[in-house]
Amino acid sequence: MDTKITLAIADDELLFRQGLISILSKEKNIDIFFDAEDGNDLMTQLRSAQLRPEIVITDLKMPGLNGVETTKLIRKEFPDIKIIALTSYFSKPFIINMISIGAVAYLAKNSTPKLMLTTIYEVADKGFYYDSQVMKFIHEGLLNKNDQGKKSNFDMTYFTKREKEVLELICKQFTTNEIGEKLFISPRTVDGHRNNLLLKTESKNLAGLVVYAIQNKLVNLEEQF
């Protein structure tokens, strides 16, 4: 990896936060810009920083400005920052809500350091990361919600054949280079299709694109579960 992944961490539990910093600071490809004791502290530091981190890892249950409200503020003020939600609450409704407001990954507080590092590297590389359990929750939650109302009458002709292929591989969490290899096209061409998909779906990021694809039944990921 040529450039370092830049991070900020927000968690009101000092011992946990320092433990996180201790683990991450050993990674030569990761640079922690700063840490914060709650959402207000995080937003203050982000607003005053000359250089902002690429990724924010934020606890969701914090006094004052909690992680949910903090996520909404970051998405509004700093849309390029990717947010990894860190929490003890690993339930389907909670995950669906966090993803709908802009979190690009979801990490349980009892996760292994290895999974945490995997999540950070995947988010830096692909823009989002949902493990199989989170993808299952998204899939079930969004389709159940959709099926309660009208069936999707989405016009598939809105996308080209190649865009549909790229979309399916994005949802299966392949990287730009991997998609290029599978479809025998250049990474730059993949980027072009991805940008078209973001524009056509009005999605703010790849996580939103995945949610959109599942909600409108544009891809079939059921075989993965």
Side-chain angles (χ1 to χ4, degrees):
M1 195 170 290
D2 296 332
T3 55
K4 285 194 173 189
I5 299 166
T6 57
L7 292 178
I9 298 165
D11 196 300
D12 64 305
E13 296 174 44
L14 181 59
L15 198 61
F16 185 87
R17 193 167 81 242
Q18 288 183 336
L20 210 55
I21 292 166
S22 175
I23 293 167
L24 294 175
S25 60
K26 291 179 179 137
E27 290 290 302
K28 66 178 190 295
N29 292 323
I30 290 176
D31 189 3
I32 301 169
F33 274 12
F34 55 82
D35 62 286
E37 62 184 13
D38 57 32
N40 285 315
D41 185 17
L42 175 65
M43 293 310 300
T44 298
Q45 293 195 64
L46 282 175
R47 286 165 181 154
S48 62
Q50 287 189 316
L51 286 173
R52 295 190 183 94
E54 175 188 353
I55 296 170
V56 163
I57 301 175
T58 181
D59 186 20
L60 295 183
K61 189 181 179 185
M62 295 184 289
L65 190 66
N66 65 37
V68 178
E69 295 308 315
T70 302
T71 298
K72 289 177 182 175
L73 278 176
I74 293 172
R75 291 296 305 134
K76 184 179 177 183
E77 294 184 36
F78 311 108
D80 291 338
I81 294 178
K82 303 175 186 77
I83 301 155
I84 298 176
L86 184 66
T87 186
S88 310
Y89 304 108
F90 209 79
S91 67
K92 189 197 295 185
F94 209 66
I95 289 172
I96 296 293
N97 181 53
M98 280 311 298
I99 288 165
S100 70
I101 64 171
V104 300
Y106 200 95
L107 203 54
K109 274 199 161 184
N110 63 355
S111 298
T112 62
K114 184 180 178 182
L115 178 58
M116 179 182 65
L117 290 170
T118 296
T119 301
I120 291 168
Y121 284 119
E122 290 287 304
V123 166
D125 192 23
K126 295 182 303 205
F128 74 103
Y129 178 67
Y130 303 140
D131 65 21
S132 58
Q133 184 61 63
V134 171
M135 280 298 282
K136 188 177 180 186
F137 282 166
I138 297 171
H139 201 261
E140 291 171 353
L142 291 177
L143 286 186
N144 289 344
K145 186 178 168 187
N146 215 38
D147 287 341
Q148 285 170 7
K150 290 191 305 185
K151 256 199 156 177
S152 175
N153 57 355
F154 192 86
D155 184 3
M156 284 298 286
T157 60
Y158 189 49
F159 298 109
T160 66
K161 180 174 180 288
R162 184 62 89 195
E163 284 170 353
K164 291 175 207 168
E165 291 170 342
V166 170
L167 179 61
E168 184 160 348
L169 291 172
I170 287 172
C171 290
K172 289 180 177 175
Q173 304 197 63
F174 287 100
T175 66
T176 297
N177 287 338
E178 288 168 345
I179 293 171
E181 286 171 12
K182 280 186 170 292
L183 299 180
F184 304 103
I185 55 179
S186 71
R188 191 172 175 181
T189 303
V190 175
D191 285 338
H193 289 307
R194 187 187 61 216
N195 290 337
N196 286 342
L197 286 164
L198 288 168
L199 283 169
K200 285 184 177 183
T201 61
E202 297 182 1
S203 301
K204 292 184 173 65
N205 55 32
L206 289 183
L209 186 59
V210 172
V211 169
Y212 184 97
I214 293 171
Q215 206 159 23
N216 286 285
K217 301 182 182 179
L218 305 182
V219 295
N220 180 19
L221 304 174
E222 291 194 45
E223 67 271 11
Q224 289 184 259
F225 314 126

